[in-house]
Amino acid sequence: MGKKVKKETEPPPKDAFDPLPVESKKAATVVLMLNSPEDDILAKACEALYKFAEKGDENKASLLGLGAVEPLSKLISHNDKTIRKNATMVFGSLSAHGEVRKLLRKLDVISSVIARLSSDEDAVIHEFATLCLAFMSAESTSKVQILEHGGLEPLIRLLASPDPDVKKNSVECIFHLVQDFQTRAAVRELNGIPALLELLKSEYPIIQQLALKTLVILTYDVESRIVLRDSQGLDKLIELMQVKEFGDLHVDALLVVANCLEDNDAVQVIQQTGGLQKILTFAETSTLHEVQKNAATAIAKSASHAEIRKSFHEQDVEKTLSTLLGVDNDGVKAAACLAIAVMCENQASKDSFRKQGIPQLVRLLNSDKGDVKEGAALALANLTDSNLGNASAVFENEGVDPLIRLLADKIDGAVANAATVLINMATQENLRTGIQCRGVMQAIVEPLQSTNTIVQNKAALTVAAMACDVYGRTELRNAGGLIPLINLLSSNNEEVRRSACWAVQVCANDEPTAVELCRLGALEILQKINMSASRKSNFSEAAQSKLLDSHLSIKYSLSGYLSSVDIITDGFFDLGRIKADAKVLSLEELSKQEINHKRPVLLISAKEPELISRPVSPVEEKLPPESPDRHASSSLSKSSTKEKTVSKGRIKGRKEDDKLKEEEELQPPFKPTVEEEKKLWQIPYDPHFHSYINEIAKTILPLHNTKQQVEALAKL
């Protein structure tokens, strides 16, 4: 065999470029490489930029300034899988920076990122694509873009990914998306709830936590609660709550259960599985404030059912809730107050709170936290409803003053609840008197002027409850409460209008108050109301009738008749029939009108006018309390040894009297001013009618037989 000749390698073409290994220590240089046409350089450049970006936010901001984001947004859709993966990794890391996210929204890259969620991509691409969406979904604009580009369906699918990072990022993105209620229905329709329930089995607490928080939001909707219940979600939640090691998860698990307890079927399911007992145990034993708060919330929601209230009462829930009132956390206190308010539907529970709940609730009325004092007032309102013992307990625990102070609170709910408690207490006369003495009528004026219809309604009812006697009506009148009360008669809210009518009816029992109500226009407003078919009510008619009973002249002019119980007195006048919507003038206003062609006003006045007393002069103020004659008479009884001294004193006294008389004569006669004349206006006096009445009285009164009196009166 011949010797083998070594084959020589062919030299490279002359136009070929020899490979050049490049090492760059500047990020700017690597960013420039993102525009390279060579796949290998693109892959290595993306990998280097990812490592650089992961070192901190300053590096992310630096890459943003170097213009790396825009070329990367194109590379995430590159045909080469390695380039696509590395570019997506950089993209996911950079999206943690707020300024980068702003630029991403302008570049409209959401659709390209969602495309990376395809099942054809590997887990690394899924991880960083979902990471990018998790960051982007925290802002409302990006949420809309994610939904519009169909991002929800692949995100729900990736909840079943074997990669825990993909699961975590996907559920976090979904959590952000369901903050908008429109998305909740879409998650339900895409079977997202069963997938979320499966995440509760994860060995990673952060995944469990995000799944629970998402379920909390979803279960605000009835349909989602039904799906969760049908998916045995309640059983899974109860199982989770029974694991002590998952203490941090119990907070949100209780919230999901509390939401579900708004449905009757869910209550029955939880009751059968022992879940209610577990909730009560959490409230009793947990030291975590959030757990205590959510347990109290769950108790409140489940206690809306009579059977559950009875069961809770048998387990001494009153003691547990009273204990929660003393916890040093405002959220727990507020939740406990609401639970007590609901438990009050059970009469036995209502009585149980008398000793161990009411004293603490009264103290909470002074809280600086609005939700605490509002909740405490609500609990007391329900506790005192048709319960005299509890109403007395509030009074005995000095609850009146803080309740009256709450009437000036900025929180409408607190004002309305405080007014309700006072109304409930006013059913007992001794309590009502005590409340009146503490200035409730002065305090109720401000709520009467509220713009909140609930507050207006409660304020009017408070007036009706407190103005049952002359003292209460006088206090209201002096406090200026009649004007805002009358304004409520014109309310467009039927309930407010009805309550205001009731309050006016109560106030009209007092003649001075009734006169003032009419003067301020209450009667005209009631007349208009009763002429309207839609606004008229039994309350408005009763209020008008009561006002007319105090003004028989107006009643006669409007109706044309008086009943047998209507007794006219001096000052009654016959104006003639007037229209129902006509303005009614007072007698003083009528007297000041000029004589015209209309029929005269007939007035009954048999009372002699009272003499106008003039002011006391300075001279009169100097007069001694005892007259000189009295001094003289007393002097006569003295011993003769003092006669000379007394005589001198009498002479001196007479000189002073003469001087005072001279000064008195110099005083001008009293003449009232124009303003005083207005104030001193009196009903015109008819002396002939007065003498006629006296003559009739002398003739008729001696007769003892009613028939004889009637006959005698008829003859006269």
Side-chain angles (χ1 to χ4, degrees):
M1 294 181 62
K3 187 178 179 181
K4 292 183 178 180
V5 180
K6 187 176 180 181
K7 187 177 181 180
E8 294 183 4
T9 57
E10 294 183 5
K14 292 181 179 181
D15 59 348
F17 186 80
D18 294 335
L20 176 65
V22 178
E23 290 186 6
S24 175
K25 295 184 179 180
K26 296 290 185 179
T29 304
V30 180
V31 170
L32 292 175
M33 294 180 181
L34 295 177
N35 296 311
S36 172
E38 298 185 43
D39 293 351
D40 187 48
I41 292 178
L42 291 174
K44 290 180 179 180
C46 290
E47 183 179 0
L49 292 176
Y50 168 71
K51 293 177 181 179
F52 180 73
E54 282 291 288
K55 293 179 181 180
D57 285 344
E58 291 183 1
N59 291 355
K60 295 180 177 68
S62 176
L63 292 177
L64 173 65
L66 292 171
V69 176
E70 188 169 355
L72 284 170
S73 65
K74 299 175 182 177
L75 293 178
I76 62 174
S77 302
H78 199 278
N79 294 329
D80 186 85
K81 188 173 184 180
T82 303
I83 296 174
R84 199 164 59 243
K85 179 184 72 173
N86 293 349
T88 305
M89 291 171 63
V90 187
F91 223 62
S93 179
L94 288 177
S95 59
H97 197 282
E99 294 301 319
V100 173
R101 292 196 295 272
K102 287 183 181 179
L103 180 57
L104 292 179
R105 285 195 294 274
K106 292 180 181 179
L107 295 175
D108 194 18
V109 298
I110 293 293
S111 58
S112 300
V113 178
I114 292 174
R116 304 285 70 78
L117 302 182
S118 168
S119 55
D120 297 333
E121 303 287 2
D122 63 22
V124 176
I125 292 180
H126 287 166
E127 175 186 348
F128 286 94
T130 54
L131 178 64
C132 177
L133 292 176
F135 283 125
M136 295 290 288
S137 61
E139 286 127 5
S140 57
T141 306
S142 298
K143 289 179 186 177
V144 175
Q145 292 177 346
I146 292 171
L147 294 173
E148 288 178 348
H149 291 92
L152 188 57
E153 188 275 330
L155 286 169
I156 292 176
R157 174 173 47 78
L158 289 176
L159 293 177
S161 171
D163 188 298
D165 290 319
V166 176
K167 287 182 178 179
K168 182 262 180 187
N169 295 336
S170 298
V171 71
E172 184 175 2
C173 185
I174 294 172
F175 170 70
H176 290 152
L177 293 175
V178 297
Q179 302 300 319
D180 297 331
F181 72 92
Q182 299 96 332
T183 311
R184 298 170 198 168
V187 172
R188 183 177 64 251
E189 294 169 359
L190 292 170
N191 293 322
I193 293 177
L196 290 166
L197 289 171
E198 284 299 313
L199 294 182
L200 299 180
K201 301 176 183 179
S202 174
E203 58 183 6
Y204 298 96
I206 184 62
I207 295 177
Q208 295 173 305
Q209 192 86 54
L210 287 169
L212 283 171
K213 289 185 177 297
T214 307
L215 288 171
V216 169
I217 304 298
L218 287 172
T219 50
Y220 289 156
D221 300 333
V222 178
E223 295 82 1
S224 296
R225 294 197 293 268
I226 295 173
V227 173
L228 184 138
R229 188 175 66 248
D230 294 342
S231 302
Q232 286 74 48
L234 291 173
D235 296 336
K236 295 176 182 178
L237 290 167
I238 297 299
E239 289 176 9
L240 182 70
M241 291 162 57
Q242 291 173 345
V243 181
K244 293 183 179 180
E245 290 76 12
F246 292 161
D248 293 341
L249 303 177
H250 294 164
V251 175
D252 292 314
L254 276 168
L255 273 180
V256 179
V257 172
N259 289 344
C260 293
L261 286 173
E262 295 186 10
D263 302 330
N264 293 334
D265 294 338
V267 173
Q268 299 301 324
V269 171
I270 293 179
Q271 187 178 24
Q272 292 169 4
T273 58
L276 293 178
Q277 179 61 45
K278 188 63 181 176
I279 292 171
L280 195 56
T281 302
F282 273 127
E284 293 173 347
T285 61
S286 179
T287 57
L288 295 174
H289 291 157
E290 284 298 317
V291 172
Q292 293 172 326
K293 172 186 172 183
N294 294 342
T297 302
I299 291 172
K301 291 187 177 182
S302 58
S304 58
H305 306 274
E307 295 181 3
I308 305 301
R309 288 195 297 271
K310 181 180 178 182
S311 175
F312 276 147
H313 173 65
E314 293 171 352
Q315 299 176 59
D316 201 13
V317 71
E318 296 84 8
K319 181 180 179 180
T320 301
L321 293 176
S322 298
T323 302
L324 293 180
L325 291 177
V327 174
D328 188 19
N329 182 274
D330 293 324
V332 176
K333 291 176 182 176
C337 288
L338 295 179
I340 291 173
V342 178
M343 283 299 300
C344 288
E345 293 293 326
N346 182 283
Q347 189 61 44
S349 290
K350 187 181 287 189
D351 294 334
S352 298
F353 283 117
R354 187 170 303 153
K355 293 183 179 180
Q356 56 185 350
I358 288 180
Q360 293 162 289
L361 289 169
V362 169
R363 288 194 291 271
L364 292 181
L365 293 175
N366 297 308
S367 173
D368 295 331
K369 299 296 181 180
D371 55 345
V372 174
K373 56 188 175 185
E374 181 180 1
L378 175 62
L380 288 173
N382 290 0
L383 283 168
T384 55
D385 183 25
S386 304
N387 193 302
L388 302 181
N390 285 349
S392 298
V394 174
F395 189 87
E396 292 166 2
N397 284 278
E398 300 181 354
V400 175
D401 288 334
L403 285 169
I404 291 178
R405 284 196 296 271
L406 271 186
L407 294 178
D409 200 85
K410 295 180 180 179
I411 301 175
D412 291 333
V415 177
N417 294 336
T420 304
V421 182
L422 294 171
I423 293 167
N424 295 339
M425 295 173 69
T427 56
Q428 301 179 67
E429 185 176 356
N430 60 326
L431 301 187
R432 183 176 71 248
T433 303
I435 296 170
Q436 290 172 337
C437 293
R438 286 170 169 81
V440 67
M441 285 309 192
Q442 289 80 4
I444 203 63
V445 174
E446 184 176 344
L448 285 172
Q449 302 175 71
S450 171
T451 56
N452 185 290
T453 55
I454 297 176
V455 174
Q456 291 174 346
N457 180 51
K458 294 297 182 181
L461 291 175
T462 304
V463 171
M466 296 295 171
C468 294
D469 51 34
V470 175
Y471 178 78
R473 292 189 284 269
T474 303
E475 286 292 297
L476 178 68
R477 197 168 63 247
N478 294 338
L482 294 182
I483 293 177
L485 177 62
I486 291 172
N487 291 337
L488 294 184
L489 292 173
S490 303
S491 172
N492 292 324
N493 184 283
E494 183 179 356
E495 194 171 356
V496 173
R497 199 165 57 247
R498 184 173 65 240
S499 298
C501 289
W502 185 11
V504 169
Q505 180 184 354
V506 173
C507 292
N509 283 304
D510 183 83
E511 185 174 352
T513 307
V515 171
E516 186 69 7
L517 284 169
C518 289
R519 188 185 71 81
L520 295 172
L523 186 59
E524 286 85 349
I525 296 174
L526 288 170
Q527 288 173 321
K528 292 180 180 178
I529 291 174
N530 291 326
M531 291 177 64
S532 170
S534 59
R535 298 169 72 87
K536 181 175 67 174
S537 67
N538 293 335
F539 288 90
S540 62
E541 291 177 341
Q544 180 178 341
S545 176
K546 197 67 179 179
L547 279 178
L548 291 177
D549 288 343
S550 300
H551 280 271
L552 296 181
S553 301
I554 301 174
K555 181 177 181 180
Y556 185 67
S557 297
L558 288 172
S559 62
Y561 70 92
L562 297 177
S563 65
S564 58
V565 296
D566 294 329
I567 309 300
I568 62 175
T569 58
D570 284 307
F572 177 85
F573 60 93
D574 179 11
L575 183 62
R577 291 299 297 272
I578 60 176
K579 296 181 180 180
D581 57 345
K583 179 175 176 57
V584 180
L585 301 177
S586 66
L587 187 58
E588 182 180 356
E589 292 171 327
L590 290 169
S591 68
K592 295 176 182 179
Q593 289 184 339
E594 296 182 359
I595 297 176
N596 51 41
H597 65 282
K598 296 182 180 179
R599 57 154 288 183
V601 178
L602 305 179
L603 169 66
I604 296 177
S605 178
K607 184 179 180 181
E608 293 186 34
E610 297 179 1
L611 295 175
I612 300 175
S613 59
R614 63 183 178 85
V616 180
S617 66
V619 175
E620 292 172 325
E621 291 179 353
K622 296 178 182 178
L623 287 174
E626 295 181 346
S627 65
D629 294 337
R630 190 171 176 184
H631 281 294
S633 62
S634 62
S635 300
L636 291 174
S637 63
K638 305 294 182 178
S639 60
S640 58
T641 56
K642 297 181 179 179
E643 285 183 0
K644 188 175 181 180
T645 304
V646 173
S647 176
K648 290 180 179 179
R650 186 184 297 116
I651 293 170
K652 185 178 179 181
R654 286 176 180 173
K655 289 181 179 179
E656 290 180 354
D657 287 348
D658 293 339
K659 187 177 180 181
L660 290 172
K661 286 179 180 179
E662 290 176 3
E663 291 181 0
E664 230 176 9
E665 289 174 358
L666 294 174
Q667 292 288 331
F670 171 67
K671 184 178 181 181
T673 64
V674 176
E675 293 296 326
E676 288 173 337
E677 285 182 350
K678 290 181 180 179
K679 294 180 181 178
L680 298 173
W681 184 88
Q682 293 183 347
I683 298 175
Y685 171 58
D686 187 348
H688 300 291
F689 182 66
H690 188 189
S691 62
Y692 182 60
I693 292 295
N694 290 335
E695 181 183 346
I696 291 175
K698 292 177 183 178
T699 305
I700 294 177
L701 291 180
L703 302 176
H704 300 290
N705 188 294
T706 304
K707 182 179 179 182
Q708 293 176 349
Q709 290 178 337
V710 173
E711 290 176 350
L713 180 61
K715 291 178 182 178
L716 291 172

